[in-house]
Amino acid sequence: MSAAREPIAVIGTGYVGLVTAAGFAELGSEVWCVDIDAAKVERLKAGEVPIYEPGLEELLARNRERMHFSTTLDGALEAARLLFVAVGTPPTYSGDADLSAVHAVVDAIPASDRHALVMKSTVPAGTGAALARVMGERGRGALQYVSCPEFLKEGSAVKDFMHPDRVVVGDSGGWAGDAVVDLYAPLQAPLVRTDVASAEMVKLASNAFLATKISFINEIANVCEETGADVVEVARGMGLDDRIGPKFLQAGIGFGGSCFPKDVDALKQLAGNSGYHFQLLTAVIEVNDLQKRRVINKLHRHLGSLAGRRVALLGLAFKPNTDDMREASSLVLSARLQADGAQIAAFDPVAEEQARALVSGIEFAASPLDAVRDADAVVLVTEWQQFIDLDWAEVAAAMRGNLLVDGRNALDSDTIRAAGLLYEGIGRR
Ligand SMILES: NC(=O)c1ccc[n+]([C@@H]2O[C@H](COP(=O)([O-])OP(=O)(O)OC[C@H]3O[C@@H](n4cnc5c(N)ncnc54)[C@H](O)[C@@H]3O)[C@@H](O)[C@H]2O)c1
């Protein structure tokens, strides 16, 4: 790649920031990474990768000489004009996005007509306009602002950076929007060049739509259970319609993660703050909350009281190929099971460390077989390939009972039954 690529700064080196930084370094930019987490910065400087994301370690290693890590902005401000902001925007108690980290970044940037903020963090529509107003009031109106929302998925983030479905750039004219478009040009992705508020809304609306699709198929699954239909067959039949498409039509125990729950809530609150009642999203959220608890009903139906019963959870992360535990369905499940008196053993290939910080009172097993040993029931919570490939006859032999709840409809029911287990999917015959 050419050495003439624009140098950039990335503020916040989490899942989005680190992948974005490494991705742009791979495309040839010098990248100054800034994070307030000093321990994380030290690890990055030492060549360690603080998160689990397939392909990221290799990408960082390959581009190490172009990447600089610091806890302060000084070097970044000197070297780069484009300051990508990728700090967290977690939910507040009210459901609105907490923009305090974004404000901290804005406050730390001095008056400048040379720099632009490029917002990668997911923020409510209207944030760019609000920040521009604040910066204007503080005599820093010359700082440019670009909304460039991120659509990468944990677990395939590196691939998603390199092959995005689209790049969205929202600005109000000026050099910075063009510079961001140039940075992404080698990826040859469809470009949506628009205004700031629309770019912000593309992100929220996309996540809300995907979450709606999941809650929709989950409700269909629940109706299938009442009517004798099989949701896997139904979803296959629906998904072949290219107006619908097969993705996000897998019924299961609901969505989690650091984005969908908070972004759906944030859009609902954003609408509510403007006086609009977003009824559909209220239902999407409620369906998702209830869906996580339906597994408990299935366990009760087969086992009666769960007091003293041993339940094995296979998978803890909110989805496969990540160690992210934010809003993972396993958190709700383990809390509900413990409240009902069950003993829980759990195994996850990579998320144990994160889970230990969030869950207490459960046994962390060293392997899937250790987790299922003497279990009355096994629940597949996260569809890691390792679980799909398990020797289920071996699992059946290690268990005390014979109930398998496939919380992701990821297993072949015939294989499970052939192993001597009782298969319970979500919305399956
Ligand atoms: N994780 C995803 O899959 C994903 C996908 C698309 C968009 N997003 C959005 O991107 C943003 C970041 O998400 P994430 O998952 O990477 O978060 P994260 O929590 O993994 O990382 C955020 C990082 O920002 C750092 N930080 C906080 N305040 C800072 C400050 N003032 N200065 C410098 N660094 C600071 C934190 O220490 C942390 O390392 C969020 O708005 C999120 O909604 C996330």
Side-chain angles (χ1 to χ4, degrees), residues 309-311 369-377 395 397-401:
R309 296 290 200 165
R310 203 171 157 79
V311 179
L369 269 189
D370 278 345
V372 303
R373 190 153 294 121
D374 297 329
D376 295 294
V395 172
M399 289 173 65
R400 182 163 63 201

Side-chain angles (χ1 to χ4, degrees), residues 10-18 34-37 40 51 71 73 85-90 100-105 108 120-123 149-154 157 203 207 258-259 262-263 318-319 324 326:
V10 177
I11 305 169
T13 56
Y15 291 87
V16 167
L18 202 52
V34 183
D35 202 293
I36 49 169
D37 183 338
K40 190 181 264 189
I51 53 171
T71 53
L73 278 167
V85 180
V87 298
T89 49
S100 55
V102 169
H103 285 291
V105 172
K120 281 257 143 232
S121 297
T122 303
V123 294
E150 183 52 59
F151 301 94
L152 62 74
K153 302 176 287 299
E154 286 174 23
K203 174 65 192 177
N207 275 1
S258 66
C259 290
K262 87 168 167 66
D263 292 348
F318 88 91
K319 67 173 183 179
D324 200 341
R326 290 177 283 189

Side-chain angles (χ1 to χ4, degrees), residues 339-396:
D340 283 359
Q343 294 165 5
I344 305 167
F347 173 79
D348 189 284
V350 301
E352 182 181 327
E353 193 186 327
Q354 282 73 1
R356 279 182 183 276
L358 297 169
V359 187
S360 57
I362 77 171
E363 186 186 315
F364 290 95
S367 70
L369 269 189
D370 278 345
V372 303
R373 190 153 294 121
D374 297 329
D376 295 294
V378 172
V379 182
L380 179 77
V381 182
T382 316
E383 66 276 35
W384 286 92
Q385 191 62 42
Q386 175 179 357
F387 300 146
I388 293 166
D389 296 341
L390 275 173
D391 179 337
W392 287 95
E394 221 178 336
V395 172

